[in-house]
Each structure stands twice: as C-alpha cells, then as structure tokens.
C-alpha cells in the first residue's frame, strides 16, 4: 500500500535551535505539502512542494522526488513553532491525499 | 479569495444518536472535497473524498457516510454514533485535478459519550 513516513515522531528544542524534519514516501508523487497544526487544531499550509526547494522566512523545504523524500528545515526556532508538523502526498492514481503520522515539535524557552 | 467553513465547532453527542457535520467552500467552483478524521491529536485518516456533486469515494468502511448535495457543500453523517467516532473532523478542498494544493477548514471536535 501507499506509505508516508515522518521522522522523528517527537522533537524537543531549545528556543533558537535549528531542526530538520523528514518525510519519506513509497512512490512517486504529484503533490507534496507540509502543514503545521497549531494547538487549536488548525492545519496551516506551509509549503506546496512536489519538487525543488522553497523558503519562507525561517522555514524552508526541499523535495527530492526521485529519491522519495522531503525535508522541512526550521531555523532559529521560536516557541510559536510548537505543534505537530505533517507532510501529505498524492499520487497519479487519484485525487486523494495521504498523510504521514506527524512530528510533534516542542520549543522550550 | 477562497474560504472554507465547518460547523459546528464542537459537538457532544450520546452513543446511538445521529450526526450531521457540514462543510462549505466559498470563492471557487467544482472543488475536490475531503473529510478527514484525526484521533488523539495525531494521524489524519482520509474518510471520504468527492470530485463532483453526488460523487463520493469512501476510503475506510465505517458507520459514517458523506454526501455532496451542492457543488460547494459536503456533509458527513451517521445514523447511529459509536464511541469510536469521537475525534477531530476536518474538511478540506483542492482544485480539480491531482496537482491541487489542499486547504483545511477549522475542524469539528466531536465527543461521543
């Protein structure tokens, strides 16, 4: 079956530290997205990145589709970065998206 | 700009009662629509998706059903709720076609007692 795996499952950082979150997928993808779920449950779009590299402020993401992984970089972390980060992908076979199990990030002051 | 609404925001229902959650999208036409469930704060599970009015695909067999009576309206229903139906229900939309970025509503937190 289709697999999307994220690592690490949990991460605790000191404020100001950098981190890398990883998303592996089992097949070629048409669409790869990263989301941040805030403490109120809202899923916030971070990146739409089926391939290549994008940056938005302290966050950046890279997807290497041929090697079936994507990375999310968080630099100079802040307490407001805390929450769960999800990647999601869809394939050529349909319109449905498949989510990874998430990385729970806690940034402590 | 496009917006997506869900209601109610929270719901407490007894076991065996019916359920109706509603999702509407504004500012776009003919979107793909999705229902997800999230249990225990992790792992979104795709329940249903729809590519058009009256077209529903089910991903997981369960006592839930979905309907799309209008282009931008998606409804999640149950005739009799189970304790295991508790969770956070999220509606999402994307543009038609497999390359569409998806956008999520604020969610409904359902507790079945």
């Amino acid at each position: 079956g289709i697999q999307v795996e994220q690592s690490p499952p949990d991460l605790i950082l000191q404020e100001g530290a950098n981190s890398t979150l990883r998303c592996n997928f089992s097949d070629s993808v048409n669409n790869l997205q990263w989301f941040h779920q805030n403490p109120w449950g809202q899923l916030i779009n971070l990146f739409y990145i089926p391939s290549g590299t994008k940056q938005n402020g302290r966050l950046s993401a890279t997807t290497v589709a041929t090697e079936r992984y994507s990375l999310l970089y968080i630099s100079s972390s802040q307490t407001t970065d805390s929450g769960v980060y999800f990647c999601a992908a869809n394939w050529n076979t349909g319109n449905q998206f498949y989510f990874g199990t998430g990385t729970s990030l806690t940034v402590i002051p | 700009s496009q917006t997506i609404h869900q209601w109610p925001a929270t719901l407490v229902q007894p076991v065996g009662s019916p359920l109706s959650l509603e999702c509407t999208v504004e500012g776009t036409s003919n979107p793909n629509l999705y229902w997800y469930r999230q249990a225990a704060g992790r792992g979104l599970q795709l329940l249903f998706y729809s590519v058009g009015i009256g077209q529903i695909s089910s991903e997981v067999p369960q006592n839930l059903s979905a309907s799309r009576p209008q282009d931008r309206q998606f409804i999640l229903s149950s005739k009799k709720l189970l304790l295991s139906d508790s969770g956070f229900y999220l509606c999402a939309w994307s543009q038609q076609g497999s390359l569409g970025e998806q956008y999520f509503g604020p969610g409904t937190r359902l507790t079945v007692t």
Side-chain angles (χ1 to χ4, degrees):
Chain A
I2 299 168
Q3 302 285 336
V4 179
E5 298 179 347
Q6 291 186 242
S7 60
D10 299 280
L11 186 59
I12 300 175
L13 296 176
Q14 198 75 39
E15 196 169 26
N18 303 327
S19 63
T20 301
L21 282 58
R22 188 178 180 101
C23 173
N24 292 330
F25 36 92
S26 62
D27 205 342
S28 59
V29 299
N30 275 342
N31 180 359
L32 193 289
Q33 288 186 251
W34 283 97
F35 297 90
H36 174 216
Q37 189 169 37
N38 65 22
W40 297 272
Q42 179 72 50
L43 275 166
I44 299 165
N45 290 40
L46 296 178
F47 294 101
Y48 165 65
I49 185 167
S51 64
T53 297
K54 291 186 177 180
Q55 181 156 7
N56 183 4
R58 296 182 296 105
L59 273 60
S60 64
T62 296
T63 297
V64 184
T66 54
E67 297 186 21
R68 301 179 183 174
Y69 72 88
S70 183
L71 302 174
L72 177 68
Y73 306 95
I74 304 174
S75 64
S76 304
S77 59
Q78 301 176 358
T79 56
T80 52
D81 294 332
S82 296
V84 183
Y85 290 80
F86 291 100
C87 65
N90 79 344
W91 277 257
N92 289 323
T93 54
N95 290 301
Q96 62 269 44
F97 289 81
Y98 294 90
F99 274 72
T101 52
T103 292
S104 178
L105 174 64
T106 303
V107 180
I108 54 178
Chain B
S1 64
Q2 300 88 1
T3 55
I4 179 169
H5 304 279
Q6 286 187 246
W7 62 89
T10 59
L11 191 59
V12 180
Q13 292 283 93
V15 167
S17 64
L19 174 73
S20 181
L21 303 181
E22 189 164 345
C23 170
T24 59
V25 181
E26 296 177 354
T28 187
S29 59
N30 199 26
N32 294 330
L33 295 172
Y34 310 85
W35 278 112
Y36 291 87
R37 177 170 60 198
Q38 186 178 35
R42 299 287 289 270
L44 277 76
Q45 179 186 39
L46 179 65
L47 301 176
F48 301 95
Y49 70 98
S50 171
V51 300
I53 296 174
Q55 300 178 65
I56 310 294
S57 296
S58 174
E59 286 293 297
V60 180
Q62 60 226 324
N63 70 319
L64 299 172
S65 62
S67 62
R68 185 169 176 173
Q70 300 180 43
D71 181 45
R72 290 169 289 174
Q73 184 185 30
F74 206 22
I75 297 172
L76 183 69
S77 304
S78 174
K79 293 182 179 178
K80 289 186 177 181
L81 284 168
L82 307 172
L83 285 174
S84 58
D85 292 324
S86 293
F88 190 48
Y89 289 82
L90 289 152
C91 180
W93 74 274
S94 68
Q95 296 286 1
Q96 272 293 342
S98 60
L99 300 181
E101 184 173 0
Q102 55 177 335
Y103 302 89
F104 281 81
T108 295
R109 203 164 298 278
L110 172 66
T111 303
V112 182
T113 60

